[in-house]
Amino acid sequence: MRPKIVFTNVSKSFNLYKKQSDKLMEVISFKGDKSSFYALKNLSFKIYEGEAIGIVGLNGSGKSTLSNLLGQIIPSSSGTIEINGETSLIAISAGLNNQLSGLENIELKCLMHGLKKEEIQRVKSEIIDFADIGKFIDQPVKNYSSGMKSRLGFAISIHTNPDILIVDEALSVGDQTFYEKCLLKINEFKSQGKTIIFVSHSTSQIKAFCDRVMWIHFGKIEEFGDAETVIGKYKQFIKWFNSLNETEKKQYKIKMLDNQYNDDMKENNFSPFGRQSYRKRKSKERKKGNLPFIFQCFVLLLAIVTSASIMFGANPVKSVGNYISNTLSEDSLIADKAIDKSDSQKDIKKVEAAEAVNKTGILLAGESPLYEDSDLKEQVGQISFAEEFFVVEKSGKAVKIQLDTNNMAYTNVENVTILDEDLPVSQMNFTEFLPLFPERFVNAYSYFLTFLNSESEEVKSTLKGLTNEESLDNGEKTLAYSIYDAMYTINNENIAESITISNIGTNLDQWNELKDAATFISNDGKYYFYKTKQFKIVIDLTNQKATVSLVNQ
């Protein structure tokens, strides 16, 4: 069996910049000590024709970077990659143009895969039927949900008939019916002897479907071998990792991430979690001398003069002077107005500089939108009441928060409180909340609570009465046990993170006693948070629900 994919000492690094101007300075800089982060480092492996390979690992470990290298979306920084065949990467919205309609994206992506117009017309109806997004096929992709993008991307990719199919978390969204339809198509590809690479957090899916599994751990291959063996070791690691408290988890991730920065950065302690002292850095720069910086300035000045020469002729300084003089003499009235306008702008509020925070924060609002920048204009998601996160910095009305190692966003500062110390622990017992819950849940509550922090497959196989299983847009899942008014939320690590109990009774006398003991209350008074020795409990008055999770989950 000949190798289909061969990686030899492959690394992928990304240059890091403190500010946008650093990108320009790099263009004219001759320094070799760029600040780099190694998403992947020295990967060597072979994947053979007809194999189904699973890729697992924590968020931020480099799985998506590896899938982009395999899909030839991005080049490697070093090493060699040999791919013998046509690849197709299936990820949420991968390769889709947000400004084009779904139909236009079908035609564009098919053309990019080398299909002729006649072939595109033949498969177009099959793609539309498989995606099953109705009239949205004629709407711009920017209006799609993540589930609809995944449906369309998957439908297009599998109908281009690639030799190598790379599925990167594309099945984590969408309903159960579409998921089963995708699995049938993937199994059909597998029966045809095609090579399949499956990136997922669902170890049960990978174990059932893949021949071998690669465990990527913070940029390096931790294990690569038989699916059952590697999955077993990965589960042991996840169990150990989930046993840590939040502080220990952050310390472990910081330690692992530090190994992914280049040697110069380690020596200078240059990373998001540490910084070389200003005096020491300046002292080194003085010892080296200012000649490189002066030379960079000279090159930049030369580039500006050359550009001006092209724009204004052989004598750029004189031409620019004449241009300004003529403009002022001919348009003095406009100039006077411009001066008046400039004076009037003195009262405009200056943009506030970002203030470093680097502390844990918690959300006080019931629901708060997440944005991609500090202007708080482009929404990219939302977070829920009492959710904890790492606050990186504060800028005006926005705070920059880190949800995990690979996910930064902004939210409104008014909805966040900074924690200088851990939240106080209430002496309340969970049984004190039982009078609020439906009787059918109360009769089995201890049994339900034992499955918190368990794998979803264990919950499904042990706990009887499952009425519905649904995949969410954020990659999580829910397992509903409607007869008990209970529903588990399964996180991206395939772990039962919390349980939500519906139809609670907050109109009872017991509630008046409980609400006064809340650790804190949301801004609008509709959510109550409690932290006991064992559980975190959120009471939602609007929807009459209670959500329970473990404290040291």
Side-chain angles (χ1 to χ4, degrees):
M1 188 181 297
R2 70 188 184 96
K4 200 73 173 176
I5 299 170
V6 180
F7 271 47
T8 306
N9 296 323
V10 173
S11 296
K12 180 60 183 177
S13 64
F14 298 92
N15 290 341
L16 302 178
Y17 306 96
K18 293 183 181 178
K19 50 185 181 296
Q20 291 295 323
S21 60
D22 289 347
K23 294 183 180 181
L24 175 61
M25 294 305 294
E26 183 182 330
V27 175
I28 60 174
S29 173
F30 293 94
K31 289 184 178 180
D33 57 342
K34 303 294 190 299
S35 301
S36 301
F37 175 81
Y38 280 86
L40 298 170
K41 195 163 188 178
N42 295 330
L43 268 60
S44 296
F45 59 85
K46 293 181 181 179
I47 296 175
Y48 296 92
E49 189 172 10
E51 275 195 305
I53 302 296
I55 300 178
V56 297
L58 294 175
N59 286 333
S61 287
K63 301 189 301 297
S64 292
T65 302
L66 178 56
S67 66
N68 284 330
L69 288 173
L70 290 165
Q72 303 175 82
I73 306 298
I74 59 176
S76 63
S77 301
S78 62
T80 58
I81 300 176
E82 298 177 31
I83 297 180
N84 303 310
E86 182 72 22
T87 62
S88 185
L89 172 63
I90 304 175
I92 299 174
S93 74
L96 297 178
N97 188 314
N98 283 330
Q99 305 306 317
L100 300 180
S101 68
L103 199 59
E104 291 167 334
N105 268 285
I106 292 174
E107 295 173 348
L108 177 63
K109 288 200 71 174
C110 287
L111 283 171
M112 292 171 66
H113 278 86
L115 272 66
K116 297 179 180 178
K117 286 188 176 181
E118 302 78 36
E119 295 174 307
I120 295 173
Q121 289 301 320
R122 190 179 70 251
V123 301
K124 187 189 295 183
S125 59
E126 296 177 18
I127 294 173
I128 294 172
D129 290 340
F130 193 97
D132 192 22
I133 58 175
K135 295 182 179 180
F136 275 92
I137 197 69
D138 296 312
Q139 297 298 312
V141 168
K142 64 182 180 181
N143 297 332
Y144 287 13
S145 66
S146 58
M148 294 168 67
K149 290 177 182 178
S150 179
R151 282 171 171 267
L152 181 61
F154 192 98
I156 296 172
S157 296
I158 60 172
H159 284 89
T160 57
N161 199 30
D163 301 310
I164 303 168
L165 189 66
I166 306 162
V167 184
D168 185 0
E169 293 292 350
L171 303 187
S172 61
V173 295
D175 54 34
Q176 186 68 18
T177 304
F178 182 73
Y179 167 73
E180 291 173 357
K181 184 162 60 172
C182 293
L183 280 189
L184 285 174
K185 198 68 179 179
I186 291 175
N187 280 314
E188 181 184 323
F189 269 56
K190 188 177 180 181
S191 65
Q192 295 171 3
K194 295 181 182 292
T195 304
I196 299 172
I197 298 165
F198 196 59
V199 182
S200 178
H201 285 291
S202 175
T203 54
S204 57
Q205 290 176 10
I206 288 181
K207 187 176 179 180
F209 179 75
C210 298
D211 305 310
R212 292 193 293 159
V213 172
M214 182 187 300
W215 173 10
I216 297 292
H217 194 59
F218 291 95
K220 295 184 178 180
I221 298 177
E222 186 75 16
E223 295 279 347
F224 187 25
D226 173 70
E228 189 167 350
T229 303
V230 177
I231 289 296
K233 292 181 179 180
Y234 180 64
K235 282 184 176 180
Q236 289 178 358
F237 166 76
I238 291 297
K239 188 174 183 180
W240 168 82
F241 184 75
N242 284 327
S243 69
L244 304 177
N245 59 40
E246 290 301 318
T247 301
E248 291 171 334
K249 285 180 181 179
K250 288 177 183 177
Q251 288 174 346
Y252 177 79
K253 288 182 177 181
I254 289 170
K255 178 182 176 182
M256 299 307 298
L257 283 168
D258 280 344
N259 294 330
Q260 293 181 261
Y261 293 96
N262 63 15
D263 293 336
D264 289 333
M265 292 177 70
K266 291 178 185 178
E267 291 172 7
N268 293 334
N269 195 24
F270 180 91
S271 77
F273 311 102
R275 184 173 296 172
Q276 179 191 30
S277 71
Y278 180 80
R279 290 182 179 178
K280 188 181 290 185
R281 190 166 64 247
K282 285 299 179 183
S283 176
K284 287 184 178 181
E285 290 175 0
R286 282 195 294 268
K287 289 178 181 179
K288 290 180 179 179
N290 293 324
L291 183 59
F293 176 74
I294 294 172
F295 184 72
Q296 291 176 30
C297 292
F298 174 75
V299 173
L300 183 60
L301 180 61
L302 183 61
I304 294 172
V305 172
T306 303
S307 301
S309 298
I310 296 171
M311 293 175 62
F312 297 102
N315 193 338
V317 177
K318 183 177 179 180
S319 298
V320 172
N322 291 338
Y323 175 79
I324 295 173
S325 177
N326 292 337
T327 302
L328 289 175
S329 62
E330 293 175 1
D331 302 306
S332 57
L333 181 59
I334 296 176
D336 291 338
K337 288 182 179 180
I339 292 172
D340 292 339
K341 184 179 180 181
S342 176
D343 290 337
S344 67
Q345 289 179 334
K346 289 180 181 179
D347 295 330
I348 295 178
K349 186 177 180 181
K350 294 182 179 179
V351 177
E352 294 187 35
E355 173 189 347
V357 177
N358 296 327
K359 290 184 179 180
T360 301
I362 195 165
L363 190 71
L364 289 179
E367 296 285 347
S368 184
L370 293 173
Y371 302 90
E372 66 176 9
D373 53 42
S374 58
D375 293 333
L376 306 181
K377 292 181 179 179
E378 192 68 30
Q379 186 173 342
V380 294
Q382 67 179 24
I383 49 177
S384 303
F385 170 70
E387 187 168 345
E388 292 187 38
F389 37 75
F390 186 73
V391 181
V392 179
E393 62 185 28
K394 175 185 174 183
S395 178
K397 295 182 178 180
V399 286
K400 184 178 183 181
I401 65 175
Q402 182 176 8
L403 301 171
D404 53 51
T405 54
N406 201 31
N407 193 1
M408 295 278 195
Y410 292 85
T411 192
N412 196 308
V413 68
E414 295 178 355
N415 297 334
V416 175
T417 186
I418 308 299
L419 301 178
D420 292 319
E421 55 186 21
D422 290 340
L423 289 169
V425 177
S426 171
Q427 298 303 312
M428 297 178 67
N429 193 293
F430 185 79
T431 55
E432 296 181 52
F433 291 87
L434 293 181
L436 304 182
F437 301 154
E439 183 178 356
R440 46 198 167 190
F441 175 80
V442 172
N443 292 335
Y445 83 91
S446 58
Y447 191 54
F448 274 94
L449 295 180
T450 58
F451 287 99
L452 284 174
N453 212 24
S454 300
E455 290 197 359
S456 65
E457 292 304 317
E458 182 182 353
V459 178
K460 291 166 61 177
S461 61
T462 309
L463 192 59
K464 306 304 179 185
L466 179 65
T467 55
N468 187 43
E469 181 177 356
E470 184 178 354
S471 296
L472 307 179
D473 287 346
N474 62 359
E476 296 182 344
K477 293 189 301 184
T478 58
L479 302 177
Y481 292 82
S482 301
I483 192 171
Y484 300 100
D485 288 314
M487 181 179 70
Y488 289 99
T489 296
I490 310 299
N491 64 19
N492 288 318
E493 304 296 339
N494 219 30
I495 301 296
E497 187 174 61
S498 64
I499 183 170
T500 300
I501 304 100
S502 303
N503 298 318
I504 66 172
T506 56
N507 56 343
L508 304 174
D509 292 337
Q510 289 89 338
W511 169 241
N512 293 326
E513 299 174 8
L514 288 171
K515 67 180 183 180
D516 294 331
T519 306
F520 62 85
I521 307 170
S522 67
N523 295 338
D524 56 10
K526 295 179 180 179
Y527 297 84
Y528 287 72
F529 175 78
Y530 303 80
K531 182 179 180 181
T532 69
K533 292 180 179 179
Q534 191 176 3
F535 301 105
K536 294 178 182 178
I537 305 166
V538 173
I539 302 293
D540 177 357
L541 298 183
T542 302
N543 298 299
Q544 294 292 289
K545 293 181 178 180
T547 300
V548 182
S549 59
L550 294 175
V551 169
N552 292 322
Q553 186 160 264

